[in-house]
Amino acid sequence: MGITELEDLGAMHLDVLRELGNIGSGNAATSLASLLNTTVDIKVPTISLVGYDNVAQYLGGEDNEMVGMSFKLIGDLDGYMLHVVQDSFVNRIINAFYPKQINSLSDLNEMDLSAISEVGNISTASYVNSLAQLTSTFINISPPTSMIDTISNILESVSSTIDAVGNQVLYIDENLYIAGTEVQSSMILILSIDSMKILFDKLSIPY
């Protein structure tokens, strides 16, 4: 079939994307455990192909405030990885490095955001490296652009890339257990149609 929109993907294509998401999440959790020097377990992530306009609802609504980190994919695939985390994740990560009581995201200072960004950078790099290895492609990521804002504004910050992907993105909802404490992390993979075709071609899956 000819893919002109991500809505055109069939069940086989979606299964492949979900499997890539599972492997990427597992490797990202392993990297996070090494960085924090503690155990990090992960449930099987919930992976869905959703409309970009609907992503905010998956994240608690447009006005929900979170930390968002966007990474430009560089190399054989064109797109973005958006890593979005809630205050429970932020609190657990910060206290893995130094003690600090964080009651809301407004308590974060520049050093705190830098620590969260570094964790996001390592997790996202592990995720993207898994994707590159599985598809025999070269993919690098840009330094993160990090922001504390509403979901609506975080999503709008990368919305200029959406036209090329038919307004559909791969949403990966992760439940992590860091030293026994449950936290949530969300990854959003945004690929252009041409990059999606390259991905399936590398996996020898007809499109």
Side-chain angles (χ1 to χ4, degrees):
M1 73 177 181
I3 295 176
T4 58
E5 300 286 341
L6 292 193
E7 293 94 327
D8 296 334
L9 295 175
M12 178 175 62
H13 299 93
L14 296 182
D15 285 344
V16 169
L17 292 176
R18 291 190 182 100
E19 184 58 24
L20 291 174
N22 287 332
I23 294 171
S25 294
N27 288 342
T30 299
S31 295
L32 186 58
S34 178
L35 174 67
L36 301 179
N37 193 30
T38 189
T39 57
V40 177
D41 298 312
I42 184 170
K43 285 184 179 179
V44 176
T46 301
I47 301 173
S48 309
L49 191 68
V50 302
Y52 196 72
D53 293 338
N54 297 324
V55 171
Q57 301 310 312
Y58 282 72
L59 294 169
E62 292 184 352
D63 295 330
N64 191 24
E65 190 174 62
M66 302 181 78
V67 176
M69 296 159 279
S70 63
F71 302 82
K72 179 78 172 70
L73 302 185
I74 302 168
D76 294 334
L77 299 184
D78 178 39
Y80 277 83
M81 181 71 84
L82 184 61
H83 190 187
V84 185
V85 296
Q86 301 185 34
D87 52 1
S88 61
F89 182 97
V90 169
N91 194 50
R92 186 64 187 84
I93 293 299
I94 293 299
N95 280 274
F97 293 110
Y98 45 83
K100 179 172 182 176
Q101 180 61 41
I102 298 173
N103 298 311
S104 73
L105 295 181
S106 61
D107 294 331
L108 298 179
N109 58 31
E110 186 175 341
M111 184 172 70
D112 301 331
L113 189 57
S114 178
I116 294 298
S117 298
E118 180 59 22
V119 168
N121 187 53
I122 290 173
S123 296
T124 303
S126 296
Y127 205 104
V128 170
N129 286 341
S130 299
L131 179 61
Q133 290 174 9
L134 289 167
T135 57
S136 299
T137 54
F138 170 77
I139 316 172
N140 205 346
I141 58 173
S142 69
T145 299
S146 303
M147 59 190 301
I148 303 170
D149 212 324
T150 63
I151 291 302
S152 177
N153 288 337
I154 291 172
L155 293 174
E156 188 176 345
S157 70
V158 293
S159 62
S160 60
T161 68
I162 302 307
D163 290 344
V165 297
N167 205 32
Q168 297 283 305
V169 300
L170 192 69
Y171 177 82
I172 304 157
D173 188 28
E174 303 173 326
N175 282 81
L176 303 168
Y177 293 86
I178 302 176
T181 301
E182 183 176 9
V183 297
Q184 189 174 23
S185 170
S186 299
M187 307 284 281
I188 302 165
L189 177 62
I190 307 165
L191 287 179
S192 69
I193 290 297
D194 287 343
S195 292
M196 191 65 73
K197 290 179 178 179
I198 291 171
L199 184 151
F200 287 123
D201 182 62
K202 292 291 185 178
L203 294 170
S204 300
I205 296 176
Y207 54 85

